[in-house]
Structure formats: C-alpha cells, structure tokens
Amino acid sequence: MCPSPLSILSSTVMKIARLSCLALLSLALFGCDQATKKIPPTTTLKAREPVIALALGGGGAKGFSHIGVIKVLESHGIKAKIVTGTSAGSFVGSIYASGQTPYQMQNLALKLQESDIRDLTLNSQGFILGQKLQNYVNAQVGNKPIEKFPIRFAAVATRLDNGRKAEFIKGNAGQAVRASCSIPNVFVPTVIGSTKYVDGGLVSPIPVKTAKDMGADIVIAVDISARPTGDKPLSMWGLLDQTINIMGQQSINEELNQATIVIQPKVGHLGVLDLKSSNEAILEGEKAAQAKITAIQSAITNFKKSPAAFKPAPRAKF
C-alpha cells in the first residue's frame, strides 16, 4: 500500500525539524565553547639592547688611557660586546676581552716594566723582537685563544706583502697583538704562517670599521693619536708616533666619521714609551669618558626607539 502524500509530507517535515534542532544545538554548544575561550593577548615587540663595540686606537704607553675609559663605562653599566684594537689598543683590548676587570688591568699597568715586554735584538728589520710582548699577553689572557674570549675581539695588523688590513679574530692572542704592535723598523715583523705583519696603525689607526663589520650597532671610538702641536721638540719615539699618525690622518678621519661616539683623552703630552705615566694616562681616560657619558646614554636610548631595535642584530661579516 503506497503512503499517502500527506504522510510523506508529514515525515519530511519531522526530519527537517529534527535536523534543525540538531543544528541549533550545535550552534549553541559552539557559541558556549567560543565564549569560554580566552582571546590571546596581542604580542608587544620589545626593543633589543644595542650591540656596543669599543674601537681602541694605537699610541704606545698613551694606550693605558683605554683602561680609564673602560672603568668609567662599566661604572655606568655600559658593557661592550665587541672590542677591536690597533697596536696599543689591541694590547689593552685583548686583556679586557679575555675577562679581566678594569681594576685588574689598572694593577697590571701600574706594575708593568719595560723588561716585561721588550726584548732587544740585532736584526736589519728591527731592534725589538716582540716575543716577550707575545708571551706577556698570553700570560694575562690565561693562554686562551681569541675565539674563547668572553667578549668578541679583533686585533688589527697590516700585511707587509700587500699593505692590506688583517683582522685577527681567532688563534694565538699574544701573536695577534704582537703583529698589531709591530712598528716598522722598530719591531721585527711578526711572521704568522708564511706572512709577515706590521703595525695595524698603517691601515686602520682606530678600527671602527672592523667593529661595525663584526656586527656593532653603536661604536665608541677611543682616539689617542698624536697631533702636531709645535709646542716642544719631539723625542725619536714621539717623532715616529706623530709621523705615523700624520701619514694616517685621512684613515683616522674616515674611521672616526663612522663612529657613534668619539672619546679623545688628553694624552698628547705623554711619551709613547713612558710606562711610568700609566696612572696619569688612566686618569685622563676616565675624565674623557666621563665627559661623554650623557652622549653615550642618549645614543643607547635613541637606538631603542629606532626601527633597528626591533630587528635582529646585524650579522657579522666575519
């Protein structure tokens, strides 16, 4: 017996009603579930701290002023993550980057004797061998290679074969500093592998560009280079120091123009080899750094407000 049209219609209506009830129930349950879920908070981007670098220039015993600069910076909570150094700057910078505190470095400076780092030799290429300097630095850094330092470090020297800049970021720290400090015709050139190296001041007197290439956001350059004054006759060492800086004046200006902050301790009156003036040099470094603290703090504050603070740190080129 075939169902009547009325019964078919009634059955269809009942099915539709049941499906409608199920759909409404599902919607109600879904709405309740959504109501109980918490909307995740909006993620706020946080500005990163800038990568601060110290670029320490050369200048013989005047380089002890670098210690005074570091003392003041650390007393204000300003800690470098990268240190680059040329000549005397590599000497101080290597010891600092290896983990010694500014006060430990100050004690070393006050006790340092010429006999600790000077070894005379008879050689047509120079009269200071440099092995004592290398040994002294390695002793102070605990014989750690550069790549094991807690602070990233580069010593800058000059290749004698082609005049190009060499940046030592790994290997024997004392040997790298020796190369960076090897003043031509004074020190016998440092031989590493089959290459001879001389003082880094010939190509990069204040290694700002090296610091930037290592990934620095802010570079604090410390300039202790000699400037002609005509005030008094120069000693042989003073004349040599000033001659190197006169020849490299264009390089000095180019480097300093790339720095965020330039600190220039007033150490021009101190002798290049005058180790007895180390305390005065340190004090001059402290005074010069203190005068720049406000500018450094402003540079850090401004960086944190800049778009760069919300991006990853610059990738090091080496």
Side-chain angles (χ1 to χ4, degrees), residues 88-294:
S90 74
F91 177 81
V92 173
S94 65
I95 297 173
Y96 176 55
S98 75
Q100 289 211 31
T101 68
Y103 292 96
Q104 289 174 318
M105 293 164 62
Q106 178 171 297
N107 288 333
L108 286 177
L110 297 177
K111 294 176 183 177
L112 184 65
Q113 302 294 318
E114 285 187 16
S115 58
D116 294 330
I117 56 174
R118 185 178 301 171
D119 42 6
L120 299 177
T121 185
L122 293 174
N123 192 298
S124 60
Q125 297 182 2
F127 54 87
I128 297 178
L129 185 60
Q131 186 64 50
K132 271 194 169 183
L133 172 63
Q134 176 175 324
N135 294 342
Y136 182 86
V137 171
N138 279 332
Q140 301 311 318
V141 304
N143 291 307
K144 293 192 293 282
I146 294 173
E147 66 269 23
K148 296 295 183 182
F149 287 0
I151 299 174
R152 294 185 62 212
F153 172 71
V156 176
T158 305
R159 288 181 61 123
L160 192 56
D161 58 351
N162 57 23
R164 293 179 181 172
K165 179 168 66 172
E167 297 151 321
F168 294 98
I169 59 171
K170 61 181 179 180
N172 188 312
Q175 193 175 51
V177 172
R178 176 182 177 181
S180 184
C181 294
S182 292
I183 302 170
N185 298 319
V186 176
F187 280 80
V188 176
T190 301
V191 180
I192 303 176
S194 60
T195 304
K196 291 182 178 181
Y197 297 90
V198 292
D199 196 294
L202 297 175
V203 291
S204 183
I206 306 155
V208 174
K209 187 177 185 305
T210 297
K212 293 177 79 69
D213 287 345
M214 291 176 73
D217 295 302
I218 292 174
V219 180
I220 301 170
V222 186
D223 174 20
I224 56 171
S225 57
R227 299 288 195 278
T229 60
D231 291 341
K232 60 180 180 179
L234 296 172
S235 67
M236 181 188 77
W237 293 103
L239 179 62
L240 180 62
D241 180 44
Q242 185 162 298
T243 300
I244 290 173
N245 284 306
I246 290 173
M247 291 189 298
Q249 194 59 54
Q250 183 176 346
S251 295
I252 291 173
N253 293 337
E254 288 174 356
E255 296 272 15
L256 294 181
N257 286 338
Q258 296 182 66
T260 313
I261 301 291
V262 177
I263 298 174
Q264 294 176 306
K266 295 180 180 180
V267 289
H269 62 289
L270 301 180
V272 178
L273 296 179
D274 189 5
L275 298 182
K276 294 179 181 179
S277 66
S278 58
N279 190 57
E280 184 179 356
I282 292 169
L283 290 174
E284 289 297 337
E286 290 178 9
K287 288 192 287 186
Q290 190 60 52
K292 292 286 186 173
I293 285 298
T294 300

Side-chain angles (χ1 to χ4, degrees), residues 63-84:
F64 290 124
S65 60
H66 294 317
I67 298 173
V69 170
I70 294 168
K71 279 178 66 179
V72 170
L73 294 179
E74 287 213 347
S75 71
H76 288 273
I78 301 167
K79 181 83 171 178
K81 295 180 181 178
I82 295 170
V83 177
T84 60

Side-chain angles (χ1 to χ4, degrees), residues 23-35:
L24 289 171
L25 180 60
S26 297
L27 286 171
L29 290 173
F30 178 75
C32 290
D33 182 57
Q34 289 297 102

